[in-house]
Amino acid sequence: MASLQTQDVVARSATTTPTPQVRSAVAPVAKLIDESKCIGCKACQVACMEWNDLRDEIGSNVGVYDNPADLTPNSWTVMKFFEVEPKAGNLEWLIRKDGCMHCEDPGCLKACPSPGAIVKYANGIVDFISENCIGCGYCITGCPFDVPRISPKDNKAYKCTLCSDRVGVGLEPACVKACPTGAINFGTKEDMVTYGDKRAGELKERGFQNAGLYNPAGVGGTHVMYVLKHADQPELEKLPRNPSISPAVSLWKGVAKPLAVAGMIGAAVVGFFHYMKVGPIEEQPEDGKREKEGS
Amino acid sequence: MSKLLQRYNDRERMNHWFVVLLFVLAGCSGFALFHPSLFFLSTVTGGGSWARILHPFLGVLMVLSFLGLFLRFVAANRFTAADKEWKKQMGQLLKGNKSAMPAVGKYNYGQKLVFWLFACSLIVLLITGFLFWRPWFAPYVPIAVIRVAVLLHAIAAFVLVLSVIVHIYAAIWVKGTLRAMTRGTVTEEWARSNHRIWYDDAMKR
Ligand code: HEM
Ligand code: SF4
């Protein structure tokens, strides 16, 4: 897709000047996953494979419904099943569609060293431009949700694109289209937040007092959100409670970066001026030798 | 024409310049991935992907070849009580006031400091580098450890580069020093005025 210019790139990895973004009069979008409506049929997983021409290796059953057991370079979304007891003695089966959260402040993009290998569009979608990917894995280091996966075949990182190619021409993502129960919704971020809050309210009325919208502020909010039955305990479904870019990564790809470059250039410049001001230390002939040689 | 004193033998000099070569290559491929303004350095080793592939091998090779220098020179770089006085007078030297400096042996306090900064930053680079070396080692390291490792790796590389800048500057600043590594010999005048104790020992031999 990279050759079809979009002119709506609001952030680009390892780039210090503004990107082409004149066509950014678009509303931010979001996908809303309502876990209370999900029946775990994996139609979304199949639709993702179909639309993106992905086929994972046939693995082996690990004794639970999760298949494959985790995200892979070829499985950009995976249904995860959790048997939990939010209240003691009250078993619940929670199902979460795992994948990239499309962070407003993406840690992958912040960490990426290769110019243009990760971009964020005006609509909020975070996309890997794989021909620019060098396979270093820094996106994995930066991501608070453990999402990117590097393919052993080509050493490029892959993840959910939020069907940027479909959304770019006014379609909904493939998973949204395929879901038979309407558990996955797609629209403007504003609409999805409103709808998500409404759904959470309905769930509260039906006995899930802690239902809520998962749209974590630590990463500036996300363009993939969940309606959780137990929003007070996101850990139940292996979601971080307060995700944010790790301080080590922020320091490394934040202030440390320009300071270190300035320090190295500065040291060389200081050396240059020191030489010009003080001058070199010359070899000193032994006292009296000069006179002898001169005579 | 003054007489020449042997300071380094051929093995030592070749070892040194092999380290320099690898430092340049590992440095370019590494710093390319550090700041966007340095990404152009990746072309030195064949572009982004090649820089990423080659960098760890170049780095390990640099550390291994530095080990040769380390073993040869570690004894001469032990700090001694006499270094204290030199350290106190360092400001004078930087002002160009050479006469204030006490007599030193093979290496002065500044050289020893740089030597140990090289050794320490290289060992940090080596250990942390393995922790996020893809595709082989990183998959077995917890992500929290990797995040600290990349930060420490960058800091160590920064310290190494600053030390090398000081090292190179000193070699240019103190006239007659460069030939110690390019030819293996120094003039008697150089030795007498910069490393008096080493000079006296060499004369006794
Ligand atoms: C182009 C870059 C470099 C130049 C021009 C250079 C030059 C020199 C010179 C002239 C000496 C002899 C100093 C004396 O005998 O008093 C020397 C010694 C030495 N160099 Fe380098 N060097 C360079 C890079 C490096 C690098 C990258 C390393 C290792 C990371 C290194 C490690 C050493 C060591 C261990 C010694 C022995 C003296 C000591 O520090 O105690 N050099 N170098
Ligand atoms: S979830 Fe991870 S991969 Fe997705 S945008 Fe956020 S940081 Fe990037």
Side-chain angles (χ1 to χ4, degrees):
Chain A
M1 288 303 289
S3 52
L4 299 180
Q5 66 170 346
T6 57
Q7 300 174 337
D8 63 348
V9 175
V10 293
R12 186 177 187 270
S13 58
T15 302
T16 47
T17 53
T19 48
Q21 49 186 290
V22 70
R23 304 206 298 189
S24 52
V26 292
V29 297
K31 181 162 83 181
L32 181 71
I33 302 166
D34 182 350
E35 72 168 356
S36 66
K37 285 189 181 174
C38 177
I39 55 171
C41 71
K42 302 184 183 176
C44 52
Q45 225 175 292
V46 175
C48 180
M49 290 167 57
E50 272 298 313
W51 176 258
N52 293 301
D53 297 327
L54 298 168
R55 293 295 181 276
D56 215 329
E57 260 168 56
I58 310 287
S60 46
N61 190 308
V62 294
V64 289
Y65 276 85
D66 307 39
N67 187 2
D70 196 6
L71 297 171
T72 75
N74 292 293
S75 295
W76 296 349
T77 187
V78 164
M79 305 309 294
K80 299 223 168 149
F81 299 78
F82 303 89
E83 289 166 37
V84 293
E85 289 185 28
K87 259 183 266 155
N90 192 5
L91 181 73
E92 275 188 55
W93 201 30
L94 302 178
I95 309 166
R96 180 168 70 83
K97 176 188 184 301
D98 197 10
C100 174
M101 299 293 289
H102 294 272
C103 309
E104 180 60 19
D105 182 14
C108 55
L109 190 149
K110 178 162 197 142
C112 177
S114 185
I118 303 180
V119 298
K120 196 180 98 180
Y121 303 117
N123 62 13
I125 294 180
V126 178
D127 222 353
F128 286 7
I129 309 299
S130 302
E131 55 260 48
N132 295 331
C133 176
I134 62 171
C136 65
Y138 288 6
C139 52
I140 301 171
T141 308
C143 175
F145 296 97
D146 184 25
V147 165
R149 295 289 184 273
I150 292 187
S151 164
K153 214 187 276 171
D154 55 19
N155 283 305
K156 308 289 176 204
Y158 294 102
K159 69 162 190 69
C160 156
T161 66
L162 204 58
C163 285
S164 55
D165 47 353
R166 291 174 58 93
V167 174
V169 294
L171 299 172
E172 74 276 63
C175 56
V176 179
K177 177 138 183 141
C179 180
T181 67
I184 318 178
N185 296 272
F186 185 79
T188 65
K189 168 111 187 190
E190 203 185 343
D191 287 354
M192 290 301 108
V193 169
T194 309
Y195 180 64
D197 284 339
K198 180 169 157 263
R199 277 298 299 161
E202 287 167 9
L203 285 170
K204 279 182 185 155
E205 277 171 27
R206 286 174 29 203
F208 293 99
Q209 301 94 333
N210 297 311
L213 185 66
Y214 187 81
N215 176 30
V219 290
T222 52
H223 293 270
V224 171
M225 301 179 293
Y226 293 103
V227 175
L228 299 179
K229 287 189 262 188
H230 304 282
D232 58 326
Q233 299 174 71
E235 306 83 13
L236 289 176
E237 296 168 79
K238 298 221 171 94
L239 274 175
R241 180 177 287 264
N242 291 313
S244 66
I245 301 176
S246 150
V249 172
S250 298
L251 184 59
W252 166 48
K253 289 292 172 185
V255 283
K257 214 165 57 159
L259 278 185
V261 171
M264 292 186 292
I265 296 174
V269 171
V270 165
F272 177 77
F273 279 99
H274 181 263
Y275 193 94
M276 290 309 161
K277 172 75 174 62
V278 175
I281 291 188
E282 310 274 7
E283 295 175 37
Q284 289 152 358
E286 206 173 11
D287 305 333
K289 204 169 180 190
R290 183 168 289 159
E291 284 87 323
K292 253 185 263 161
E293 276 169 2
S295 60
Chain B
M1 205 28 214
S2 65
K3 269 206 269 151
L4 295 175
L5 296 175
Q6 182 85 26
R7 189 155 164 95
Y8 296 106
N9 64 30
D10 288 357
R11 265 166 186 261
E12 289 165 340
R13 292 192 299 117
M14 294 312 110
N15 191 341
H16 174 267
W17 292 113
F18 192 64
V19 172
V20 172
L21 203 65
L22 287 166
F23 169 80
V24 170
L25 294 176
C28 286
S29 54
F31 274 95
L33 308 187
F34 180 63
H35 190 283
S37 68
L38 302 175
F39 191 76
F40 74 98
L41 291 173
S42 62
T43 48
V44 173
T45 51
S49 286
W50 275 114
R52 186 268 303 168
I53 294 167
L54 293 176
H55 176 73
F57 292 103
L58 293 166
V60 168
L61 214 56
M62 166 171 71
V63 173
L64 287 180
S65 43
F66 178 81
L67 192 63
L69 290 182
F70 182 83
L71 294 176
R72 266 168 218 280
F73 299 134
V74 65
N77 279 288
R78 292 237 163 75
F79 290 109
T80 61
D83 290 323
K84 268 211 186 115
E85 180 59 21
W86 197 94
K87 187 180 171 186
K88 237 190 270 161
Q89 301 296 330
M90 196 155 66
Q92 289 297 317
L93 180 67
L94 287 174
K95 284 184 198 142
N97 186 5
K98 179 96 202 346
S99 55
M101 303 314 288
V104 291
K106 182 155 188 188
Y107 298 116
N108 63 39
Y109 173 77
Q111 289 176 299
K112 291 178 185 176
L113 191 64
V114 165
F115 176 87
W116 287 107
L117 282 172
F118 285 165
C120 293
S121 50
L122 284 171
I123 193 75
V124 174
L125 285 168
L126 183 73
I127 294 168
T128 57
F130 268 97
L131 296 176
F132 60 102
W133 189 345
R134 281 179 203 280
W136 295 295
F137 303 101
Y140 307 101
V141 182
I143 191 81
V145 175
I146 290 184
R147 286 176 180 149
V148 176
V150 285
L151 180 61
L152 292 179
H153 195 79
I155 292 170
F158 173 68
V159 170
L160 178 64
V161 167
L162 280 196
S163 312
V164 168
I165 289 174
V166 170
H167 179 74
I168 296 172
Y169 181 68
I172 298 171
W173 183 41
V174 182
K175 292 296 154 199
T177 307
L178 266 176
R179 64 168 302 148
M181 268 303 160
T182 55
R183 307 299 309 132
T185 52
V186 290
T187 62
E188 278 189 13
E189 283 81 11
W190 180 90
R192 198 186 308 113
S193 54
N194 295 309
H195 298 274
R196 182 75 206 209
I197 299 171
W198 180 74
Y199 169 80
D200 290 343
D201 285 350
M203 282 320 194
K204 270 181 236 148
R205 261 181 267 139

